[in-house]
Amino acid sequence: MSITNQDCIFCKIINNQIKSDIIYQDNRILVFKDINPEAPVHLLIIPKEHIKNISEINSSNSDIIKHIFEKISELAVNLNINKDGYRVITNCGKHGGQTVEHLHFHVLAGRQLQWPPG
Ligand code: 5GP
Ligand code: ZN
């Protein structure tokens, strides 16, 4: 695992090589709008460290997950989506539907979401 992967779209977003609509960032995470929104609110939360997906999370790097989920909870209040609700998703690998191999959490809100997913 490396801090930055030069071939990774999300690492390029972190390093400002690709523009994005940034909602929040600190030294460990970045929150930005999905380029192809599936709901009125569709954010992506990513670690700044290049981690491929949730399968690469273990006791040495799981602190980032705590930080991400604390931030999602806080952002949900600030964006006023906490009352009606929202969904947090991470797709992992081929069958999980992951298309970008840099760990990310989708936050979807602003409409009634269906279940189960396809
Ligand atoms: P996945 O399918 O891997 O779970 O999600 C990847 C997400 O990244 C997709 O929802 C896709 O729309 C989004 N995405 C891909 N490339 C870009 C980009 O260059 N900018 C932004 N803002 N989102 C992107
Ligand atoms: Zn990356």
Side-chain angles (χ1 to χ4, degrees):
M1 189 198 312
S2 58
I3 299 292
T4 289
N5 178 330
Q6 289 186 340
D7 301 324
C8 171
I9 295 173
F10 287 178
C11 283
K12 286 181 180 162
I13 286 176
I14 291 162
N15 294 323
N16 263 320
Q17 295 167 272
I18 295 178
K19 277 201 189 309
S20 68
D21 203 340
I22 294 172
I23 299 293
Y24 170 84
Q25 67 176 313
D26 59 33
N27 58 341
R28 289 190 286 165
I29 65 171
L30 182 70
V31 182
F32 57 102
K33 291 186 181 177
D34 196 293
I35 203 168
N36 183 25
E38 299 288 355
V41 175
H42 188 170
L43 304 179
L44 298 171
I45 296 89
I46 66 174
K48 288 193 169 176
E49 179 180 5
H50 181 84
I51 298 170
K52 186 175 171 186
N53 58 38
I54 201 75
S55 287
E56 284 194 352
I57 293 295
N58 55 52
S59 57
S60 74
N61 61 8
S62 58
D63 279 0
I64 195 68
I65 302 299
K66 175 174 181 280
H67 183 53
I68 286 171
F69 274 80
E70 286 174 359
K71 192 50 65 179
I72 289 172
S73 177
E74 190 183 312
L75 280 171
V77 173
N78 293 344
L79 296 168
N80 203 27
I81 58 172
N82 59 317
K83 291 204 184 83
D84 285 341
Y86 55 97
R87 187 171 293 167
V88 183
I89 300 164
T90 190
N91 296 323
C92 180
K94 180 171 170 280
H95 280 189
Q98 183 177 13
T99 60
V100 178
E101 291 195 336
H102 180 128
L103 177 64
H104 52 280
F105 294 86
H106 299 257
V107 172
L108 295 158
R111 67 170 172 85
Q112 182 61 55
L113 300 169
Q114 305 304 311
W115 191 264

